[in-house]
């Protein structure tokens, strides 16, 4: 695969500018609170890393890894936790950090799972949202960009574990 297959959808500067806006909104909304950010591995790692450096209040971070699988290669609705949190979230202000909401199946599962652990508050920030692809209703509380129904890679997002390192978010031209 060469770089010729790639078409930039969101350039690094646009991503950074939008992340600053999200960080400002989050800093304002959680002022005086002890915020715990939960990154969803692996795609959200780069987004979370950039986000926390622009948030102006103290935050803690933790990570979860989930996999969705079934007969289809796209999300099946069967979600399994591969790595759980290292701490209890009971009574905490929790913000799930995700790279992209597609069918909504992963986040609706994760949201319900974490809600059952009695956090004080539970919200979701996603960098990208593909609303056209929803199979279950799911509305993130904060969203970086709504994008059309294209498969995107870069800035943490992968295709078969490739391209996560790219600074821009790109479409793979088939
Ligand atoms: P869901 O369909 O909303 O459950 O999305 C589950 C996961 O699929 C996301 O967290 C991503 O890891 C992955 N995914 C969905 N759309 C894309 C894409 O366009 N590029 C890369 N990964 C994607
Ligand atoms: Mg993901």
């Amino acid at each position: 695969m060469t770089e010729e297959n790639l078409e930039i959808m969101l350039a690094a500067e646009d991503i950074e500018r939008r992340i600053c806006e999200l960080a400002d909104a989050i800093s304002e909304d959680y002022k005086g609170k002890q915020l715990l950010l939960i990154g969803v591995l692996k795609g959200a790692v780069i987004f979370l890393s950039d986000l926390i450096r622009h948030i102006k209040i103290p935050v803690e971070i933790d990570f979860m890894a989930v996999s969705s699988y079934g007969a289809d290669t796209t999300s099946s609705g069967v979600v399994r936790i591969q790595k759980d949190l290292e701490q209890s979230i009971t009574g905490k202000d929790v913000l799930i950090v995700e790279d992209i909401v597609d069918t909504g199946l992963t986040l609706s599962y994760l949201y319900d799972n974490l809600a059952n652990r009695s956090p004080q508050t539970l919200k979701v920030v996603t960098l990208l949202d593909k609303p056209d692809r929803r199979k279950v209703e799911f509305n993130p509380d904060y969203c970086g960009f709504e994008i059309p129904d294209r498969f995107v890679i870069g800035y943490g997002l992968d295709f078969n574990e490739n391209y996560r390192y790219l600074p821009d978010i790109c479409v793979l031209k088939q």
Side-chain angles (χ1 to χ4, degrees):
M1 302 244 194
T2 65
E3 306 255 328
E4 285 146 42
N5 298 330
L6 306 178
E7 181 187 309
I8 295 178
M9 179 187 276
L10 294 164
E13 311 86 77
D14 303 320
I15 300 168
E16 192 190 356
R17 199 177 313 122
R18 185 68 185 122
I19 287 177
C20 288
E21 293 173 358
L22 290 172
D24 284 348
I26 291 166
S27 305
E28 185 61 30
D29 294 352
Y30 289 92
K31 209 171 359 183
K33 304 245 170 82
Q34 182 58 59
L35 179 58
L36 173 64
L37 298 181
I38 297 181
V40 185
L41 295 173
K42 304 173 196 167
V45 161
I46 295 180
F47 174 40
L48 181 140
S49 309
D50 282 345
L51 186 68
I52 57 174
R53 284 179 286 182
H54 292 290
I55 290 178
K56 296 172 186 71
I57 56 170
V59 298
E60 290 177 36
I61 62 172
D62 204 341
F63 294 94
M64 283 183 84
V66 295
S67 68
S68 53
Y69 59 118
D72 197 354
T73 50
T74 59
S75 299
S76 58
V78 184
V79 178
R80 193 179 58 165
I81 293 179
Q82 293 186 312
K83 181 212 172 299
D84 208 336
L85 299 174
E86 291 176 353
Q87 55 187 291
S88 162
I89 60 168
T90 302
K92 294 189 178 168
D93 290 296
V94 175
L95 183 59
I96 303 172
V97 182
E98 177 61 304
D99 51 359
I100 186 165
V101 189
D102 187 29
T103 63
L105 290 163
T106 304
L107 268 183
S108 57
Y109 170 84
L110 204 53
Y111 187 94
D112 290 347
N113 182 286
L114 293 177
N116 281 329
R117 307 183 195 189
S118 307
Q120 178 76 34
T121 61
L122 181 62
K123 289 189 177 182
V124 174
V125 57
T126 185
L127 179 62
L128 304 175
D129 189 359
K130 287 199 274 196
D132 296 344
R133 296 251 315 159
R134 278 302 189 286
K135 288 185 186 164
V136 293
E137 200 186 323
F138 190 87
N139 296 309
D141 300 278
Y142 306 92
C143 171
F145 302 93
E146 280 196 5
I147 62 168
D149 180 12
R150 307 287 300 277
F151 193 84
V152 289
I153 43 103
Y155 198 77
L157 293 137
D158 74 307
F159 175 65
N160 289 342
E161 295 298 325
N162 290 314
Y163 303 112
R164 292 191 196 275
Y165 58 88
L166 293 174
D168 308 304
I169 291 172
C170 302
V171 178
L172 263 185
K173 289 190 273 183
Q174 303 296 346

